[in-house]
Amino acid sequence: MTERYSRQQLFQPVGNKGQQQIRSKHVLVVGAGALGSASAEALVRAGIGKLTLVDRDYVEWSNLQRQQLYTEQDAQNKLPKAVAAKNRLRQINTEVKIEALVMDAQPANLESIVQTADVIIDATDNFDIRFILNDLSHKYEVPWIYGSCVGSYGTTYTVIPNVTPCLHCILKKVPVGGATCETAGIISPAVQIVAAYQITEALKILVEDVEALRHTFLTFDVWNNQHAEFKTHKMKSDKCSSCGSTQTYPYLAYENQLKTEVLCGRETVQIRPSQRHLYNFDELEKRLKKQGKVDRNPYLLSCQLPGQRFVIFQDGRVFIHGTNDIQFARSLYYRLLG
């Protein structure tokens, strides 16, 4: 063990043994935005053995206020967040194995990763993915740590399969609507507080100090000086289809997976083809130049249209910025790529 972790090892609950355990573990962080940036950096600095980052998006200027791994150059180059994060994290700690995956967080993409992970950290921006993580967590008995923040408000909860109530027990179904960073804004302290709770819980799991885990659903409003926790043990339901006696993992079912969706809090529609499709960017650039200004990097190609921006990723996904109208987005998709 190197000197770089000496202060962490001096903390008695970690110690030399705990540091060795951290070094041998694998953490999956789903989402590389504000929470994902903070969590990934903390884990890499702590000396995690392997970090897998999954994110479907790319760096934009509005991210830089709170997403701490990214630079103006990343936004200018429209680098995928997972790639930009890996570039920065490798400068922080070359001892950590970092896997960066530019893809949608869907069951087919995540199952093989979850099976090898010791902890899953939720750094997403929507409940559809969180309920998928919840089902995967219980299917493969991997702990996961929920976290969300908007405005000056944040919330977090640790799910231990076969021990705690799951997110499905607590929320019953995927919430619809609510405030987003796009509508209510966000301040970076709210991000840092949620991430601090998430990483602390993750470290407890990694060093196997399960007695120290916080078995409460925690919320706070840092601007209005409010903090609340409630115990959840009585909320565990034997009838829950995600963690009960008859587990069917409903959010892993094909019919529950979105193919066309409005991205949370953004005037953007994502279209995900039913099968992975690898585009030839050279041919695509020639075709789309007739429609508008085209920019590209090794991971995505964007075309600026009157009123919309059309972004195609290597895995076949498309973002259509400038609309929340799914039917319009589909017609534009088929006109340009059909």
Side-chain angles (χ1 to χ4, degrees), residues 228-293:
E229 296 181 65
F230 63 85
K231 295 180 179 179
T232 61
H233 61 281
K234 292 183 179 180
M235 302 179 75
K236 188 168 178 59
S237 171
D238 187 58
K239 296 180 180 179
C240 177
S241 54
S242 295
C243 74
S245 57
T246 306
Q247 299 174 4
T248 59
Y249 312 118
Y251 294 94
L252 304 186
Y254 180 80
E255 59 268 23
N256 288 335
Q257 297 174 35
L258 295 176
K259 289 188 177 181
T260 306
E261 60 183 310
V262 178
L263 298 191
C264 178
R266 297 168 64 182
E267 195 178 15
T268 300
V269 173
Q270 173 181 259
I271 297 177
R272 176 166 46 88
S274 56
Q275 294 183 339
R276 183 180 173 88
H277 183 90
L278 296 179
Y279 285 106
N280 182 318
F281 275 9
D282 291 334
E283 294 180 1
L284 197 57
E285 182 176 7
K286 291 178 183 177
R287 189 198 317 178
L288 292 180
K289 274 185 174 179
K290 301 174 184 177
Q291 306 293 331
K293 184 178 182 296

Side-chain angles (χ1 to χ4, degrees), residues 19-69:
Q19 189 62 48
Q20 291 171 353
Q21 289 172 311
I22 292 170
R23 189 74 186 119
S24 69
K25 300 294 177 65
H26 173 204
V27 178
L28 166 62
V29 176
V30 182
L35 287 176
S37 293
S39 295
E41 181 172 340
L43 288 165
V44 165
R45 290 188 183 279
I48 191 69
K50 180 180 178 181
L51 175 73
T52 298
L53 270 173
V54 173
D55 193 275
R56 64 185 176 183
D57 210 346
Y58 59 93
V59 182
E60 298 183 274
W61 290 95
S62 63
N63 302 149
L64 302 182
Q65 165 255 345
R66 67 198 178 281
Q67 299 183 16
Q68 65 191 50
L69 289 178

Side-chain angles (χ1 to χ4, degrees), residues 120 132-144 159 161:
I120 306 164
I132 288 171
L133 294 180
N134 188 68
D135 277 4
L136 288 172
S137 162
H138 287 83
K139 183 175 181 180
Y140 296 106
E141 298 187 352
V142 179
W144 79 284
V159 179

Side-chain angles (χ1 to χ4, degrees), residues 156-173:
T156 181
Y157 176 63
T158 302
V159 179
I160 308 296
N162 305 316
V163 177
T164 67
C166 74
L167 195 68
H168 197 179
C169 290
I170 294 172
L171 299 182
K172 308 305 180 188
K173 62 181 180 179

